[in-house]
Amino acid sequence: MPTITQQSIQMVIEATDFVSLVENYTHLEQRSHVWWGCCPFHSEKTPSFHIDPEKKVFYCFGCQKGGTLIQFFMEMEHISFIQAVTELAKKNNVSLVYENGETDFNAEDKRKEEIYLLYEKVANSFHHILLKTKEGIEALKYLEKRCVSNEIIDRFCLGFAPAGMRWLYDFLQKKGYTAQFLETSGLFSKKRPKFSFFSNRIMFPIFNRQGQVIAFGGRALTNDDPKNPKYLNSYDMIQYQKKENLFGLYQSLPTIRKERSIILCEGYMDVLAFHQAGITNACAPLGTALTEEQVKILSRLVDTVYLCFDTDQAGVNATFRAIDLLLPYEREIRILTTTDAKDPGEVFEKNGAEGLKNIVKNGILDSDFFVQKAMTEFDILTAEGKTRACNFLFPYLNRLTSQIKREAIIQDISRKWGISAEAMYSDFTAKKDLNLKNNTFKETKKIAEPKDVERNFETLAILAVAANQGLFKTMRSQLSTDDFTNPDAKEIFIALEECYREQNETYEELLKHCPTDRIKNAIISAVFSGEFSTNPEEIINDSIKKIKLNKLSMKRASLVHRLDLLPEEVCFDIQTDIADLDRQIDALKK
């Protein structure tokens, strides 16, 4: 069997900087001639993993795993010996020599290598089409409109997939690729294997930590077709598992290593906005919520994690989940808030680099985020509101690994809310023992999920519109999805908006757009009960006013809370904003 010569293997080992290689997976600090860090093979808080860069060996005193440089790379990337040597040779510009001039890839190794080469060619083709052809003009204009520079386009190798469905298949066949290989390459439809998986989309190549293109994300140029998703992502394959990768990680690694921090945001354009602003440690999950695998990888590289998800309910839920996953690793967690914009991309478009730098500078700790959220969700001026607010916080307090931090938070809350720390701690202990032992935010949410749509001013308004769809035009002229805090009300608004845009405002079509049976049943009940048949305009107008007041009040409460957290030099601007909100609230109440 053909094999790589021992001389070539030794050249690869000698050419590889072992410290730089390992720092792709965990932070290292030098002690004498060896380097120490937290073990990348198991979770730990005190470093017990060390490497000897001269001998090119590693060992962990915690899990007793040890071996050579190549074994380390094999373990971390889940690849064979031959593929590990080959990839390290490429990174270090070492030419491999084989005993009889042939490679000895096994089938899986060969398949991965072929995919890497194909995806690199396709990414470069997309990039060329975007920058150098007429077909890419509209996509390029869109990126320019979103303030994405040519430098960022090049750094991330952004591209454009033309609208034609067959062009890529025909192009690659002419380059010598077989039909069988292309049909299983992940670039084409599973049902129609000659049709491109991505078409008429801005393309975002996804790189692994070695800089190889392993997948793609694509953004539609228009949102005219509701059946055409705004974003489309590669499905999992032999070389790519979305739960183990992050968009922008390869481009962010140098800054992440230097600053020991990372910004996690929601989407591709958010990552580009941060990098455009010179904040080059921003990454994003790949079309899914943050995963345990991603957090495990990041925990070895950083001391601080900034979370910057969208301001809607889905974004808040993503923040909850991310905090839940990060807490056991005892990293500093800070939440970034885009107060006057829906996401970082919009912040950059409105306020430039300084706008994004300010939201990073003003990031609040996870504990303050939860306290602030409790204060906006519940009326802490009443005994019932304080009880509900504390119950909301208990799952978070239960997840903390530090008793000192838990007690400090309880003391702070008791001072601000006018309750005794002893009473709060007593309730927490009772609830922890009875209901929340070993609980997570996700599990708590499942337990609390109602069987029916909750009736409040938001759901009453939206159900009244659902029962009288002709009035939706009035509502949408004054409100958007971001004005709703109730997730069910928001879902019904979205369904109504989709029907409105499709010019098909029938009950049958509305129910088709509803995501859950619970919401469908609430709409059916509202329609057939007749409760919104009398004076629906009055109900809707009154509810619109309440929704606007609620949003302004929540914004005001958030700003008031921030006064306690921010330095004095920025407090004047916040006080001015609070005064402006007070004027808006008074005007609505009249």
Side-chain angles (χ1 to χ4, degrees):
M1 176 183 287
T3 57
I4 301 173
T5 64
Q6 286 300 315
Q7 184 179 7
S8 289
I9 294 171
Q10 191 58 38
M11 288 174 63
V12 170
I13 293 171
E14 291 173 359
T16 302
D17 184 332
F18 199 11
V19 174
S20 296
L21 176 67
V22 174
E23 283 198 320
N24 282 312
Y25 309 95
T26 189
H27 176 66
L28 296 175
E29 294 182 357
Q30 188 172 13
R31 300 180 191 173
S32 185
H33 69 286
V34 297
W35 294 69
W36 289 77
C38 289
C39 180
F41 299 106
H42 79 284
S43 298
E44 62 177 2
K45 298 170 186 176
T46 303
S48 60
F49 173 87
H50 75 286
I51 70 167
D52 187 325
E54 293 181 8
K55 297 178 181 177
K56 306 289 178 101
V57 294
F58 71 92
Y59 183 75
C60 176
F61 289 98
C63 65
Q64 287 79 51
K65 185 181 284 290
T68 65
L69 177 153
I70 293 176
Q71 287 173 327
F72 174 85
F73 192 50
M74 290 168 59
E75 289 273 355
M76 294 309 302
E77 293 298 322
H78 308 292
I79 56 179
S80 70
F81 178 85
I82 297 301
Q83 191 169 8
V85 173
T86 303
E87 291 189 16
L88 290 173
K90 287 181 180 178
K91 288 175 66 68
N92 293 284
N93 296 316
V94 174
S95 297
L96 296 178
V97 178
Y98 298 84
E99 289 186 352
N100 59 0
E102 299 180 23
T103 67
D104 59 346
F105 283 175
N106 63 32
E108 185 174 304
D109 293 337
K110 185 177 180 181
R111 174 69 175 172
K112 281 186 178 180
E113 188 64 22
E114 289 171 340
I115 291 291
Y116 291 145
L117 292 173
L118 172 64
Y119 276 38
E120 182 181 5
K121 290 178 181 178
V122 171
N124 289 333
S125 296
F126 288 151
H127 187 59
H128 173 80
I129 292 168
L130 174 69
L131 295 177
K132 304 295 184 181
T133 72
K134 292 181 180 179
E135 291 171 297
I137 290 175
E138 289 304 313
L140 198 56
K141 285 182 179 178
Y142 173 82
L143 292 172
E144 289 172 354
K145 182 181 177 183
R146 297 295 302 270
C147 303
V148 180
S149 68
N150 285 338
E151 179 192 351
I152 293 297
I153 290 173
D154 287 338
R155 187 187 305 172
F156 287 83
C157 196
L158 304 186
F160 179 67
M165 302 299 290
R166 283 280 307 250
W167 77 271
L168 182 59
Y169 187 89
D170 295 338
F171 171 76
L172 292 175
Q173 272 214 316
K174 290 177 182 177
K175 295 293 183 181
Y177 289 98
T178 66
Q180 182 181 8
F181 177 73
L182 292 178
E183 289 170 11
T184 58
S185 66
L187 296 174
F188 301 94
S189 167
K190 290 182 177 179
K191 293 182 178 179
R192 307 182 76 176
K194 294 184 180 182
F195 279 32
S196 297
F197 188 69
F198 300 100
S199 64
N200 199 30
R201 290 178 180 273
I202 297 171
M203 298 303 295
F204 302 84
I206 298 157
F207 296 82
N208 62 16
R209 278 168 286 183
Q210 284 68 53
Q212 296 163 308
V213 180
I214 57 174
F216 291 98
R219 188 197 189 282
L221 269 186
T222 63
N223 297 324
D224 296 338
D225 184 359
K227 297 179 181 178
N228 188 33
K230 184 177 179 180
Y231 283 97
L232 200 60
N233 300 286
S234 294
Y235 46 81
D236 286 353
M237 286 185 59
I238 190 172
Q239 82 289 351
Y240 168 68
Q241 298 288 317
K242 62 172 63 72
K243 66 181 180 180
E244 297 175 357
N245 291 276
L246 291 162
F247 175 71
L249 181 59
Y250 171 68
Q251 290 83 355
S252 299
L253 270 175
T255 305
I256 289 172
R257 291 180 188 137
K258 180 181 177 182
E259 298 183 0
R260 299 285 297 153
S261 67
I262 187 171
I263 297 171
L264 292 175
C265 42
E266 198 153 315
Y268 302 129
M269 298 304 297
D270 298 329
V271 172
L272 299 185
F274 275 113
H275 281 258
Q276 184 78 52
I279 304 168
T280 54
N281 60 337
C283 304
L286 295 159
T288 62
L290 192 67
T291 67
E292 292 182 12
E293 291 83 0
Q294 290 163 344
V295 168
K296 187 175 181 180
I297 291 167
L298 297 178
S299 67
R300 305 177 190 127
L301 299 172
V302 303
D303 298 318
T304 304
V305 179
Y306 295 89
L307 301 176
C308 190
F309 297 117
D310 288 356
T311 54
D312 58 15
Q313 189 59 45
V316 173
N317 290 342
T319 302
F320 286 163
R321 174 176 170 78
I323 294 172
D324 188 33
L325 291 173
L326 286 161
L327 283 176
Y329 293 92
E330 296 189 343
R331 299 300 186 261
E332 181 177 305
I333 306 169
R334 288 190 172 270
I335 317 303
L336 308 184
T337 304
T338 55
T339 307
D340 298 318
K342 65 178 181 179
D343 56 40
E346 190 173 300
V347 172
F348 183 75
E349 290 168 37
K350 287 182 176 179
N351 304 313
E354 286 305 309
L356 284 178
K357 289 175 181 177
N358 283 335
I359 70 168
V360 175
K361 180 181 177 182
N362 295 326
I364 62 173
L365 292 169
D366 53 314
S367 55
D368 293 321
F369 169 76
F370 269 94
V371 172
Q372 181 177 312
K373 191 65 180 170
M375 291 174 67
T376 57
E377 292 287 335
F378 308 102
D379 183 3
I380 59 169
L381 298 178
T382 67
E384 178 62 26
K386 289 175 183 177
T387 301
R388 295 181 67 191
C390 287
N391 287 336
F392 169 80
L393 290 172
F394 287 161
Y396 167 73
L397 294 174
N398 190 45
R399 291 285 283 165
L400 296 176
T401 56
S402 169
Q403 181 72 11
I404 294 173
K405 183 175 181 179
R406 184 183 295 118
E407 289 191 0
I409 294 171
I410 290 175
Q411 290 286 348
D412 185 52
I413 292 170
S414 68
R415 176 178 58 83
K416 290 179 179 176
W417 294 2
I419 56 178
S420 74
E422 292 78 10
M424 184 175 175
Y425 198 84
S426 176
D427 276 10
F428 164 72
T429 303
K431 292 288 176 68
K432 174 176 179 284
D433 291 340
L434 291 173
N435 301 320
L436 299 174
K437 192 173 183 180
N438 300 321
N439 210 352
T440 67
F441 304 132
K442 185 178 180 182
E443 289 165 346
T444 303
K445 189 175 177 184
K446 283 183 179 177
I447 292 169
E449 185 173 278
K451 293 181 180 179
D452 300 315
V453 170
E454 178 188 358
R455 288 299 187 99
N456 62 17
F457 59 90
E458 289 190 2
T459 53
L460 283 174
I462 204 69
L463 288 172
V465 172
N468 302 271
Q469 288 190 61
L471 297 176
F472 179 65
K473 187 175 181 179
T474 301
M475 174 174 277
R476 76 187 295 271
S477 68
Q478 300 185 58
L479 300 176
S480 69
T481 53
D482 292 336
D483 293 313
F484 292 88
T485 59
N486 183 289
D488 289 334
K490 182 171 290 193
E491 291 287 1
I492 298 171
F493 185 94
I494 291 170
L496 286 163
E497 176 69 22
E498 289 170 348
C499 292
Y500 180 84
R501 291 184 180 183
E502 294 168 17
Q503 297 183 337
N504 190 355
E505 296 176 86
T506 64
Y507 292 119
E508 181 181 1
E509 193 66 23
L510 176 60
L511 295 177
K512 285 181 182 177
H513 284 81
C514 292
T516 65
D517 289 338
R518 189 177 78 255
I519 291 175
K520 290 178 184 178
N521 291 337
I523 291 174
I524 292 169
S525 176
V527 171
F528 287 103
S529 67
E531 64 176 306
F532 299 113
S533 59
T534 305
N535 297 326
E537 295 92 344
E538 183 179 339
I539 296 172
I540 292 166
N541 289 330
D542 184 54
S543 296
I544 287 173
K545 183 183 289 188
K546 288 181 180 178
I547 291 168
K548 288 181 175 180
L549 276 171
N550 184 57
K551 185 176 182 179
L552 292 172
S553 300
M554 288 173 63
K555 192 172 182 180
R556 186 187 188 283
S558 175
L559 290 175
V560 169
H561 181 64
R562 290 179 66 192
L563 285 175
D564 295 332
L565 306 173
L566 297 177
E568 291 183 4
E569 58 266 24
V570 299
C571 286
F572 177 77
D573 291 338
I574 294 178
Q575 289 168 339
T576 302
D577 291 340
I578 291 173
D580 182 54
L581 287 171
D582 286 337
R583 286 191 291 272
Q584 294 180 54
I585 290 170
D586 289 341
L588 270 176
K589 287 181 177 179
K590 290 179 181 178

